[in-house]
Amino acid sequence: MRTARRIGLKAALLVVLTTSIATIALQAPASAAACSGASCYGRNPEGLCSSDATGLLGRDYINGSSSFRVELRYSPSCQAGWMRLIVYPGSGGSGFAMSAWNQGGPSTGFAQSNSGTSWTNMIDGSPGKSICGGTHLYFNGAYRGWYDPGCAYR
């Protein structure tokens, strides 16, 4: 009788173990994108799509005592893009109003002052879409110009 119980218990454990392994194997991978293409529009890329982001276009600028870099970023896993602004130390008095957009589509933006790194929310980066971005520079409240790296096409 004990042998039959042991065999029955081992068989039950084997079924549970096999079912658990099969369930885990069929689940979606943990690295699946939180959004894709147009569904990413207006969402913050940080933590959602920034881990595999690459720079598409970027330029450094100096205007008086303001020095900064504008970059178009792209996430292959999310098929989304955005603009990132890096304001270098010593750019006190500077203010920025940046935006990212697809040609012919709405833009998403962000305003920042002084120093550090910031970014816009995401735009669609699906194949066939353009990823564009730029920033307005203000210094001590006076408009200094528009700066952009151009557009990248997916």
Side-chain angles (χ1 to χ4, degrees):
M1 193 70 162
R2 281 187 164 175
T3 305
R5 273 193 219 167
R6 284 187 194 160
I7 292 172
L9 182 59
K10 288 180 182 178
L13 286 173
L14 184 59
V15 168
V16 169
L17 182 60
T18 304
T19 303
S20 297
I21 291 171
T23 301
I24 290 169
L26 293 175
Q27 290 179 347
S31 62
C35 60
S36 181
S39 71
C40 292
Y41 179 83
R43 297 182 71 179
N44 184 345
E46 196 63 22
L48 287 178
C49 300
S50 59
S51 64
D52 68 343
T54 59
L56 296 175
L57 295 173
R59 287 188 65 190
D60 288 305
Y61 294 98
I62 297 175
N63 184 318
S65 63
S66 299
S67 59
F68 54 96
R69 179 172 182 78
V70 293
E71 295 180 330
L72 294 177
R73 308 283 292 163
Y74 174 74
S75 165
S77 65
C78 292
Q79 292 191 348
W82 61 93
M83 198 192 95
R84 180 169 74 174
L85 172 69
I86 302 167
V87 181
Y88 298 121
S91 295
S94 300
F96 301 87
M98 63 178 162
S99 58
W101 65 92
N102 298 114
Q103 285 187 337
S107 65
T108 180
F110 186 83
Q112 173 194 328
S113 62
N114 294 326
S115 65
T117 301
S118 58
W119 49 89
T120 65
N121 286 331
M122 293 184 281
I123 57 172
D124 190 354
S126 300
K129 294 289 184 173
S130 61
I131 299 171
C132 305
T135 187
H136 293 280
L137 168 65
Y138 298 86
F139 189 76
N140 291 331
Y143 180 71
R144 293 290 180 110
W146 171 252
Y147 298 87
D148 70 85
C151 292
Y153 296 90
R154 298 295 317 143

